[in-house]
Amino acid sequence: SEPKDSITSQGPNSIVRTIIQDRKGNIWMASWEGIFRYDGKSFTNITNKVSSARFFSALEDRKGNFWFGTIGEGVYYYDGKSFQNFTTSDGLTNNDVHAIVQDKTGKIWFGTRGEITIYDGRTFSTLTDKDGKTFRNVWSIIKDKNGNIWFGADGLWRYDGSEFTKVSN
């Protein structure tokens, strides 16, 4: 039988790194205590039976599935029923996953303590620019309305689908 999630009247008491709202209106929090979902009435720690890792980042993908980045345990994929864990043994460049975004082609980008890792639905690869440069210690990633990917690493960078531009000095 499936383990019961921990349902409480209050949210996490420790550091909360990321908050997102899903397409159904639920609020999801990535915290040092796990991933909490708030449905408007109560908080549920959905990872307390899965991992004791500190969670750092969260994304709902196009299909309504979730990706949760941790410090030390890589990323957890959650389809609403079960979890799958991906780590460096699967191709992530580092098990500290700071930020997650989905690009306009559907690929998932993971900003890690190592390089950016991109997941195409089958395999993980390391992001490099045309000069072979990699981007280390990526703390945040967003996609703008035009489909550009912006990320903070050694300065601020923008990727337009073919070229990287450093936006800061």
Side-chain angles (χ1 to χ4, degrees):
S1 70
E2 285 290 306
K4 285 285 183 212
D5 294 324
S6 171
I7 300 172
T8 66
S9 60
Q10 66 181 43
N13 293 308
S14 62
I15 293 171
V16 176
R17 289 294 314 199
T18 302
I19 302 170
I20 63 169
Q21 186 170 29
D22 71 19
R23 61 187 70 185
K24 297 174 184 169
N26 297 304
I27 305 294
W28 297 76
M29 293 145 264
S31 80
W32 270 198
E33 296 169 57
I35 297 290
F36 284 75
R37 181 185 61 227
Y38 180 65
D39 63 7
K41 296 183 182 77
S42 60
F43 293 87
T44 305
N45 184 335
I46 65 157
T47 55
N48 66 328
K49 301 286 194 295
V50 177
S51 170
S52 60
R54 295 179 299 172
F55 284 82
F56 210 92
S57 51
L59 168 79
E60 181 184 20
D61 69 21
R62 289 181 184 174
K63 297 176 181 170
N65 300 308
F66 293 89
W67 298 85
F68 305 123
T70 71
I71 301 302
E73 291 184 11
V75 68
Y76 284 87
Y77 169 81
Y78 179 59
D79 64 6
K81 295 183 182 79
S82 62
F83 290 88
Q84 186 175 357
N85 183 219
F86 296 102
T87 65
T88 53
S89 63
D90 299 295
L92 275 176
T93 57
N94 193 284
N95 285 329
D96 293 354
V97 180
H98 304 146
I100 312 170
V101 75
Q102 188 167 34
D103 70 17
K104 59 189 172 189
T105 69
K107 294 177 182 167
I108 311 283
W109 292 47
F110 302 98
T112 76
R113 189 174 302 279
E115 292 85 8
I116 292 175
T117 305
I118 297 179
Y119 181 65
D120 66 6
R122 291 184 310 280
T123 58
F124 293 89
S125 58
T126 303
L127 177 72
T128 55
D129 73 5
K130 64 183 184 303
D131 302 319
K133 177 179 174 43
T134 60
F135 303 91
R136 294 188 60 79
N137 282 324
V138 176
W139 291 99
S140 58
I141 305 177
I142 65 152
K143 177 181 66 177
D144 69 20
K145 66 181 183 199
N146 299 318
N148 297 303
I149 303 288
W150 296 74
F151 59 94
D154 59 336
L156 177 64
W157 291 83
R158 182 181 63 236
Y159 178 66
D160 65 7
S162 61
E163 197 167 56
F164 294 90
T165 305
K166 191 166 187 182
V167 186
S168 56
N169 291 335

